[in-house]
Amino acid sequence: MTARPTPKLLPRNIAALRQGQDPASAARTIVGNSVSTRLESGIGNFFPGLECDLRNLERRFFPFVEVDTDFGQIIVISVDAAAAADSAGISATDIQSYRTLEDDIRRGGRWTVRTMAGDFGPLGPQTVTIADLTGVSFGDDRRPADAWVAIRMLRENSLVTLTLTRVSGPGEITLSGLRSRYLDANGALARMFEPGELTQSLCSPWTHDFRDCACFYWASNHPDIALPPLPVPAPPGNALQWNVDTAWERLDRSMQSPPIANALGSDQNPPRNSRVVPEMVHHQINRDWQLLNFVLERREQVTPYTPSNKNPSQAGPLPDLPTLIKHLRFAAGVEIAVMLEYLSAAWSLRKPDGLPQPLQNDLRAAFAEIRRIAIGEMRHIRAVNDVLAHLMPAGAFEPALAVAAEIPDGGKYRPLAFRSATIETIEDFVRIEAPSESVDGLYAPIYATLAGGIGTEEQVQSIRTVMSEGEDHHQTFLFIKEWLGRHVPDSVFLAGTDLAAPPATNGAHKTLQRRYRKLLEGLYDGYKAGMPRGAVSVNAARNVMLGSGGIEGALDSVAAKGFLAVFDPIADPRFASITRPNP
């Protein structure tokens, strides 16, 4: 009987990394390392939040003391003097101070933190007066922005000294202790936190707050807008009035005509009804929540669900591991190629400052969203390389950073091309992202192969996340097409419809190519080293992307010269062109 293989878990959080670095833990499964560990897997809010309220961690940042950050103050809520007395290394003077605080607070006394001295991470060691924190933190020798940020920035296990003052009446106490560790070695919350403490201050998301939250606040599986349910018999697939988003919690639940809360569109866009769709009021949501329909594939469902061709597990799996690896490497190359095309298009848009409305806002939104999508493609490159690294034998992994020579486009392939963001170009981007979750999408055979047994659950979920975000990119490009399509001709929103690539000798162009190569080299070094050793290189690569000193600044310079930003091929075999594998 063969031994059961040890499951592979890729460490993605601090606790998992600690365990992975411990030789004694090498044969053990790492606890608390779920597929949703990464920030992009969560909703990202913390107040008011849906997953946890991070402020509740900082309530216990100092040993044996519970605090609350309230309107710029740090207020002492409770003190556990008995636990302090039982702890080794606490001086008799500090134990007495803990007892004094505990007794006075029980009698109604109110204490706040006046000053805090400690190591504030990137801001360095300093002493801050809480009342002097203004909410602004810029420049050299800056202080934390506010009380909560000050606590948040303290280095774990570093020495912290608090000066506490009584709110009314005389009294001052100084305490020193190590900034608490919130997790134990296994990645679980430390025992000082009570069950339910991290979620006790959250909003009530399935009742009143759902009605008032802004669009896109909720996770994709808790929609506030969706496509309306189809009547029976279903209308033709091109019946545009049934393919426009509407309010999920609308008061009108009729099936006769879809209630659409948007302005009238042009001939190129779905027809829009200008009337406002009334939504359920708070007590109606509590009473009639059962009337809110399930949403699958962005549409409300009122009949038995039949899976569409968007189920990627229906795709045919690849024949073997070597073929899977070839497809993953090409997929990473496609992510790089489309990212480059998106950046080129984004920087062909006019600068919005000084332009009339609504053109100004439409340009700001279009540029920001294309930039966001390009950053999303960078995350996809990381995800694909993570999967590849754990499919390869030890020491055999070579990062996938070659640029695809061809890009999937509506079931066909076309060469990589740099163009201005005309409506035709945006339509092209819509087609690129459209099949993200379909059986004919780039990742469908990869997903089916991993789900069929070659991959781990984490690898399957990583690829599923990439596909899901591709669906989001598709929807966003539809929005961008709508925003820019309001303005005709294309020259209204473009810096130029016939922008040319700069000559090879152009200084701004050469700077862009140099920074682009530096980005790829940093990613290569970081991916090759693996985590956590490669973290420094990966972070350096990220810094090459952003700001005036990064790729963004170089793109600004190229655009300011009146050229179209392009990215030249790189001869280095690590980054050279890669062709798609045979079907």
Side-chain angles (χ1 to χ4, degrees):
M1 181 176 179
T2 58
R4 184 178 181 180
T6 301
K8 291 183 179 179
L9 287 175
L10 180 63
R12 298 197 189 281
N13 55 22
I14 294 298
L17 286 173
R18 288 180 183 141
Q19 288 290 85
Q21 292 170 338
D22 180 6
S25 68
R28 299 194 288 118
T29 298
I30 299 170
V31 178
N33 191 32
S34 68
V35 296
S36 61
T37 298
R38 277 185 170 171
L39 179 61
E40 60 263 30
S41 301
I43 299 162
N45 305 76
F46 76 90
F47 174 68
L50 299 180
E51 297 164 321
C52 68
D53 188 338
L54 295 182
R55 300 174 308 161
N56 293 340
L57 289 172
E58 270 62 61
R59 290 165 64 177
R60 303 185 186 277
F61 82 99
F62 194 83
F64 316 116
V65 173
E66 179 185 355
V67 303
D68 189 14
T69 53
D70 182 24
F71 299 103
Q73 303 180 81
I74 303 177
I75 304 168
V76 179
I77 302 300
S78 66
V79 176
D80 191 346
D86 291 339
S87 180
I90 306 294
S91 69
T93 301
D94 279 354
I95 291 173
Q96 183 56 48
S97 296
Y98 279 116
R99 287 171 176 161
T100 300
L101 279 171
E102 184 178 51
D103 292 342
D104 192 53
I105 291 172
R106 285 176 177 173
R107 292 194 299 266
R110 185 176 173 87
W111 292 76
T112 62
V113 177
R114 182 173 65 83
T115 66
M116 180 190 305
D119 185 348
F120 294 90
L123 303 188
Q126 55 180 291
T127 300
V128 299
T129 301
I130 302 303
D132 291 344
L133 301 181
T134 63
V136 178
S137 179
F138 293 106
D140 297 331
D141 301 321
R142 69 184 192 270
R143 297 173 298 176
D146 54 46
W148 181 80
V149 171
I151 298 174
R152 187 73 178 159
M153 296 186 76
L154 288 169
R155 288 191 182 276
E156 181 182 273
N157 270 356
S158 64
L159 182 65
V160 179
T161 300
L162 304 180
T163 301
L164 309 173
T165 58
R166 204 171 189 275
V167 173
S168 57
E172 182 170 291
I173 290 175
T174 299
L175 289 173
S176 293
L178 298 181
R179 197 287 217 163
S180 301
R181 291 180 61 175
Y182 298 151
L183 302 178
D184 64 19
N186 286 327
L189 285 172
R191 294 177 63 86
M192 63 184 175
F193 293 104
E194 298 177 1
E197 188 167 0
L198 259 65
T199 58
Q200 67 185 29
S201 53
L202 300 186
C203 58
S204 179
W206 315 128
T207 54
H208 305 99
D209 287 333
F210 195 102
R211 168 66 173 77
D212 291 332
C213 284
C215 187
F216 305 122
Y217 177 89
W218 302 99
S220 59
N221 56 338
H222 302 140
D224 57 358
I225 57 173
L227 296 176
L230 296 175
V232 179
N238 60 353
L240 296 181
Q241 68 269 30
W242 297 98
N243 290 284
V244 180
D245 290 318
T246 188
W248 179 68
E249 67 276 27
R250 63 191 176 278
L251 184 61
D252 179 3
R253 314 302 301 176
S254 68
M255 292 283 295
Q256 302 307 312
S257 61
I260 301 169
N262 292 298
L264 186 64
S266 66
D267 291 340
Q268 288 77 31
N269 293 318
R272 306 270 174 124
N273 189 318
S274 61
R275 68 186 178 90
V276 175
V277 176
E279 299 180 19
M280 293 181 177
V281 296
H282 302 119
H283 73 87
Q284 288 172 316
I285 292 180
N286 287 345
R287 184 191 66 195
D288 298 330
W289 59 269
Q290 71 277 7
L291 300 179
L292 299 174
N293 301 317
F294 286 98
V295 177
L296 294 169
E297 297 180 358
R298 293 188 57 234
R299 185 178 297 280
E300 296 181 29
Q301 305 290 336
V302 294
T303 59
Y305 171 68
T306 301
S308 70
N309 69 338
K310 284 194 172 185
N311 185 353
S313 62
Q314 296 176 354
L318 300 169
D320 49 39
L321 180 59
T323 305
L324 171 63
I325 290 172
K326 290 180 181 178
H327 279 255
L328 282 166
R329 300 190 72 83
F330 179 70
V334 170
E335 300 287 2
I336 300 173
V338 297
M339 177 199 69
L340 300 179
E341 285 198 359
Y342 296 163
L343 291 176
S344 178
W347 263 264
S348 73
L349 295 171
R350 291 181 66 182
K351 298 297 183 183
D353 295 338
L355 296 178
Q357 296 290 12
L359 175 60
Q360 183 179 133
N361 284 347
D362 286 339
L363 276 169
R364 290 185 189 279
F367 177 82
E369 288 300 286
I370 297 176
R371 179 182 179 275
R372 179 183 68 85
I373 291 173
I375 293 173
E377 307 300 349
M378 293 297 296
R379 289 200 300 268
H380 296 175
I381 296 166
R382 166 72 182 275
V384 174
N385 273 277
D386 282 348
V387 172
L388 271 170
H390 287 78
L391 289 174
M392 303 290 291
F397 170 61
E398 187 70 13
L401 293 169
V403 183
E406 297 177 293
I407 294 174
D409 183 2
K412 301 177 293 184
Y413 282 83
R414 61 162 178 81
L416 170 66
F418 299 108
R419 297 157 294 166
S420 297
T422 64
I423 292 300
E424 181 180 4
T425 299
I426 300 301
E427 289 174 342
D428 192 0
F429 295 165
V430 170
R431 291 195 303 272
I432 290 173
E433 302 287 358
S436 298
E437 293 195 281
S438 302
V439 294
D440 55 349
L442 177 69
Y443 284 98
I446 294 173
Y447 176 84
T449 307
L450 291 170
I454 287 182
T456 65
E457 178 62 21
E458 183 183 39
Q459 292 162 357
V460 172
Q461 291 301 325
S462 291
I463 297 301
R464 194 71 178 88
T465 297
V466 171
M467 298 168 74
S468 177
E469 290 180 357
E471 183 75 3
D472 168 76
H473 295 173
H474 169 246
Q475 182 61 52
T476 302
F477 275 125
L478 288 174
F479 289 146
I480 293 170
K481 176 186 173 184
E482 180 180 336
W483 301 333
L484 298 181
R486 299 168 184 160
H487 312 284
V488 290
D490 291 352
S491 57
V492 172
F493 56 83
L494 289 176
T497 55
D498 57 350
L499 295 177
T505 56
N506 178 266
H509 175 74
K510 292 168 70 175
T511 299
L512 176 61
Q513 309 315 309
R514 185 171 61 253
R515 293 178 184 176
Y516 166 48
R517 175 162 185 145
K518 187 175 180 181
L519 165 69
L520 294 179
E521 289 174 343
L523 292 177
Y524 179 91
D525 292 342
Y527 294 168
K528 183 72 173 178
M531 295 296 129
R533 288 179 299 160
V536 173
S537 296
V538 172
N539 286 334
R542 289 172 179 162
N543 292 335
V544 173
M545 294 174 60
L546 305 175
S548 60
I551 288 178
E552 281 190 314
L555 288 166
D556 287 337
S557 298
V558 171
K561 300 292 184 181
F563 293 116
L564 179 71
V566 301
F567 296 85
D568 295 338
I570 299 176
D572 189 321
R574 298 174 298 173
F575 317 126
S577 177
I578 183 174
T579 58
R580 57 190 166 109
N582 294 326

